[in-house]
Amino acid sequence: MEKFERPDMSFMRRHPVLANAAIIVVVAVLGIWIVYFSIAIFTHHGQSRTVPGVENTSYTDAIQTLHDAGLRYEIRDSIYREDIKPGYVIEQFPKRNSVVKPGRKVFLYINAVMPKQVVIDNDDRPREYALSGLSERSALARLEELGFKKVRVVRVLGTNDMVIRVLANAVPVRKTQKVPVTASIVLEVSDDRLSSLADSLTNLENSSLQVGSVSYDDYGDEYSVPSQNEPSPYIEPEQNEEENEYLE
């Protein structure tokens, strides 16, 4: 009795290389098909959303608007601006009317409730004035780096061209003290007028001494000073005729 064999088994026995190659191709195509549809499902292939504009709106309203549009959100940073209400959205990314995939994350920049506090001078000597002893250029560069916008330089009487102190909203600032970046800064800088005045007085004093001292040699032979031991010459006054007659 002859044994019955399946056609596919006989093909695999006769052509094992071709059979294995065919199986690999089928598995690869099936895998690609599964991956494609999985990506399409997770990435919402063929779907899109238009990003609504949430700038200049409150934080709660912005979140609700993005949620209704099928989008997510993330607060990227909190900064302070005086022209926008606290807790309102200053900027968003992606921008308004951008076309994105559903579930895309929108980054929000929120206006802080309180302005940012910074330390003008972090030197560990809290009893001294901030930035004292620095040059005007260095002090201005430091204030600009910290984000101060309202800075005014005032010249005061002093002996060197250095910073004397810093005032924030008319209050002197000490080292390690925190100051809001929105404060009005006054930078008091010595203008070196005291040193110039001292030099002028010294020159004037030297000039006065030179004028007051007289050298008799400058007058030549026409002017002589009597010696202390030599008696002063006495010139007898001439008598007039009337006095002579009376004496006779």
Side-chain angles (χ1 to χ4, degrees), residues 222-238:
E222 298 180 357
Y223 184 88
S224 61
V225 180
S227 176
Q228 294 180 356
N229 298 327
E230 182 181 352
S232 300
Y234 174 76
I235 301 176
E236 184 177 357
E238 297 182 357

Side-chain angles (χ1 to χ4, degrees), residues 65-84:
T65 301
L66 295 175
H67 179 74
D68 295 341
L71 301 173
R72 297 180 298 159
Y73 71 93
E74 179 180 329
I75 299 177
R76 177 57 61 89
D77 196 5
S78 178
I79 54 182
Y80 183 82
R81 286 177 50 179
E82 294 182 347
D83 57 335
I84 298 179

Side-chain angles (χ1 to χ4, degrees), residues 129-144:
Y129 290 122
L131 303 181
S132 60
L134 290 181
S135 64
E136 178 183 349
R137 179 178 298 180
S138 299
L140 290 175
R142 172 65 177 171
L143 294 173
E144 182 180 359

Side-chain angles (χ1 to χ4, degrees), residues 26-246:
V26 172
V27 172
V29 172
L30 182 61
I32 293 173
W33 183 82
I34 294 174
V35 171
Y36 175 78
F37 280 96
S38 299
I39 293 175
I41 293 172
F42 287 103
T43 60
H44 304 283
H45 181 69
Q47 303 179 29
S48 62
R49 295 286 187 274
T50 301
V51 178
V54 294
E55 295 180 355
N56 296 323
T57 60
S58 65
Y59 172 70
T60 55
D61 292 342
I63 292 175
Q64 185 63 42
T65 301
L66 295 175
H67 179 74
D68 295 341
L71 301 173
R72 297 180 298 159
Y73 71 93
E74 179 180 329
I75 299 177
R76 177 57 61 89
D77 196 5
S78 178
I79 54 182
Y80 183 82
R81 286 177 50 179
E82 294 182 347
D83 57 335
I84 298 179
K85 295 181 179 180
Y88 273 54
V89 178
I90 297 178
E91 189 177 359
Q92 69 177 79
F93 183 81
K95 294 293 186 180
R96 181 177 184 176
N97 296 329
S98 299
V99 179
V100 297
K101 298 291 184 181
R104 168 66 188 270
K105 187 179 293 184
V106 179
F107 299 100
L108 303 177
Y109 296 83
I110 308 298
N111 192 29
V113 177
M114 295 295 294
K116 183 180 179 181
Q117 302 276 333
V118 296
V119 177
I120 295 179
D121 193 338
N122 54 9
D123 191 1
D124 191 15
R125 288 178 290 178
R127 294 186 178 182
E128 297 183 6
Y129 290 122
L131 303 181
S132 60
L134 290 181
S135 64
E136 178 183 349
R137 179 178 298 180
S138 299
L140 290 175
R142 172 65 177 171
L143 294 173
E144 182 180 359
E145 178 185 357
L146 293 174
F148 289 98
K149 304 298 182 182
K150 305 174 184 178
V151 180
R152 184 166 59 96
V153 178
V154 175
R155 306 288 178 179
V156 296
L157 191 64
T159 57
N160 51 27
D161 191 12
M162 295 293 179
V163 175
I164 297 178
R165 63 177 182 173
V166 179
L167 288 84
N169 295 330
V171 178
V173 181
R174 306 281 179 174
K175 295 179 184 292
T176 69
Q177 180 180 346
K178 289 187 176 182
V179 178
V181 294
T182 56
S184 298
I185 300 298
V186 174
L187 192 65
E188 292 187 352
V189 181
S190 173
D191 58 0
D192 201 19
R193 282 184 293 174
L194 282 180
S195 298
S196 301
L197 181 60
D199 294 339
S200 300
L201 291 176
T202 302
N203 295 333
L204 180 61
E205 182 179 357
N206 294 334
S207 300
S208 300
L209 291 176
Q210 293 177 1
V211 172
S213 60
V214 179
S215 177
Y216 295 108
D217 295 336
D218 297 337
Y219 292 92
D221 298 335
E222 298 180 357
Y223 184 88
S224 61
V225 180
S227 176
Q228 294 180 356
N229 298 327
E230 182 181 352
S232 300
Y234 174 76
I235 301 176
E236 184 177 357
E238 297 182 357
Q239 298 177 349
N240 53 28
E241 295 181 354
E242 294 182 355
E243 290 178 344
N244 292 334
E245 292 180 355
Y246 177 75

